[in-house]
Amino acid sequence: MNDMAQKRVIVVGGGLAGLAAAMKLAEDNVAVDLFSLVPVKRSHSVCAQGGINACNEVARQQGYSEWEHFYETLKGGDFLANQPPVLDMARMAPNVIDLLDRMGVPFNRTSEGYRALRLFGGSLFKRTHYAGATTGQQLLYALDEQCRRWEVEGRITKYEFWDFLWPVLDDSGRCVGIVAQDLRTMQIRSFRADAVVMATGGNGLIFGQSTMSVICTGSASARCYAAGAWLGNPEFVQVHPTAIPGEDKCRLMSESARGEGGRIWVPKKKGDSRQPNSIPEEERDYFLERLYPKYKNIVPRDIATREIFYICEQGFGVGNGQMVYLDLTEKSTGIKYEELKKKLGGILEIYEKFVGVDPLLEPMRIYPAVHYSMGGLWVGFEKDSKPFEADGKGGVGGGMKHGSPKNQMTNVPGLYAAGEADYQYHGANRLGANSLLSCIFTGLFMGPSVKNYIESQKGAAAELPSGIFDARVRDEQGKLQKLLKANGDQNPYVLQRELGKTMSDNVTIIRVNSRMKKTLALIEDLKQRFQTKLGMPDGSTWSNQTVGFARAVWDMMLLSEAITKGAIAREESRGAHFKIPDDKAERIDIPLDARALPRDDHNWLKSTIASYKNGTCELSYEPVDIALAEPVKRDYGKTTGAAAAAAATKPVEEPVAAK
């Protein structure tokens, strides 16, 4: 047995996934160094609003189960997710909720004292636990308290305001530490570790304006990618259907608004300029309810987003023609003002603050915005040797082998990923309220795997010669000096704005190859301008925020290239990837669904792997593990006209187990 006293794990990222991983490792007596770009309570997880999915006894009384949760996740992701990890996530979800409850998370309660549940997209069952409309904040604070406990015990050391720069690899390609920069003093130094966990979230700033925090550049994942780690399914990016458009960024209006009864509509008359409250019910088109009579306003996000896009494309949008109404007024919902204020106060305050209107008295004006990345660092898993056996809940067997060092490890030995930074759990589209679950689940589940990995390694990173660490520090110091001395005419903020516009215009809701090829060409031009003509507006060597942003702009270009190349190559529509052939791109006379390429399981039921070689992105593919449930048509009962009433009476689709 190796001496574990010398061994350490670095966790990069102080959101839910990073805190859960750090907490679990500390519980197992592993020393952890926790790095965060911001104070952990300011991590982007704090912005999550709607809730966290899990089956409980109340949901079970409706006929829900862990298997149903598993199948909804697969179907929501258009069957592109490997099934064993998703099964374990759904199985463990009830235990995650119980754990959070014991930590003191103030979940809403029913009058009988049970944890309250709300509807969320992609399900006809109430199975989303919530703490008002600030669920992410409550979960983050609870996990931070646990990590503070281990800080006092000396098992966790926090490094806040540190920027991850590069993983340190030994001669065999094993990750043995990181290089990071203190954002205040600008000091660059190395840190040794026997394993490194990347839990650094998404990359929304690539698209200019998104619902994500402005720190969500994806730079940490991009640096791992440039160092040799693979990306999985980078082309799959979620656009949330309901956000407040803004000049600086878009602000999320949670799916919980629709789960609690909110209704999306537009006037039936094009260009209707009347105040929304003065438009009679019979002159409103509740188009999601008309098109999806079973699911109504809680269809999965990619579907709702496309329907909003299409209704605006047809000229029925409000405001500047690029918004629709999200109605929470008592007139529309039949729900009392005080009840919705209690359940949705967090998001209602945001809308009133930035728009100046009480959304319970006047319908909100919203439009889709980039929200989440299903793609991320590629991670592996080891399957449980025990075959799946149904038990009326989540079954036994068929999942991952618990404690295997392969679980959540990238292709770089010793480098792990968790949360939104990994690609494993959501396939082609994420269901609402599964993100908080996947973050906490991966952090907790990987703890024993990481511990078993470092125990299996001979010697400790602390014993390695200093040469490989010093060399990497010198490399990063050289990059910093080059940036500080850059005196060209290309401002990094302008380059990022150009990148964001082309990515948002051409690689989001609908995708057309001719447009994406122009985007790819522009990305290459931006890379050349960055490398040869960059100018640094701020050359200071203390707390220089511009140099950190400039470094992230390059990282965003690398990820944008992978996203765009993956989207061009994938000749099908699946989940959030909705591709329209060039010759139908402008045919708005044809319904959006009829214009798009169909899902193609024969050729494209496979995961994209992007690797960075010789300064560019190269694509390869691997099969998806579909051993537990056969892929079927992803159908949420879309109908039109008179058929709507009949379709509403159809039974709920039952999951089909693979033979």
Side-chain angles (χ1 to χ4, degrees), residues 214-227:
V214 293
I215 61 172
C216 295
T217 62
S219 58
S221 294
R223 291 163 194 170
C224 292
Y225 164 62

Side-chain angles (χ1 to χ4, degrees), residues 280-297:
E281 282 288 302
E282 63 271 15
E283 296 181 31
R284 301 179 177 188
D285 180 12
Y286 294 94
F287 55 94
L288 290 180
E289 298 173 29
R290 169 171 56 82
L291 295 170
Y292 301 92
K294 282 196 300 183
Y295 287 82
K296 298 187 170 81
N297 292 285

Side-chain angles (χ1 to χ4, degrees), residues 145-208:
E145 286 179 358
Q146 297 301 312
C147 286
R148 287 171 184 263
R149 167 193 169 195
W150 293 116
E151 278 189 88
V152 172
E153 296 288 333
R155 295 191 200 170
I156 293 178
T157 304
K158 271 185 189 164
Y159 294 86
E160 295 176 323
F161 295 109
W162 282 78
D163 189 10
F164 167 86
L165 299 183
W166 208 262
V168 178
L169 309 183
D170 67 10
D171 293 339
S172 68
R174 178 172 61 109
C175 185
V176 292
I178 69 170
V179 175
Q181 182 176 35
D182 185 329
L183 294 177
R184 293 156 296 194
T185 67
M186 307 297 287
Q187 175 196 19
I188 294 175
R189 57 166 290 200
S190 63
F191 296 83
R192 299 174 182 234
D194 298 277
V196 173
V197 176
M198 303 302 298
T200 49
N203 52 33
L205 203 64
I206 283 174
F207 298 88

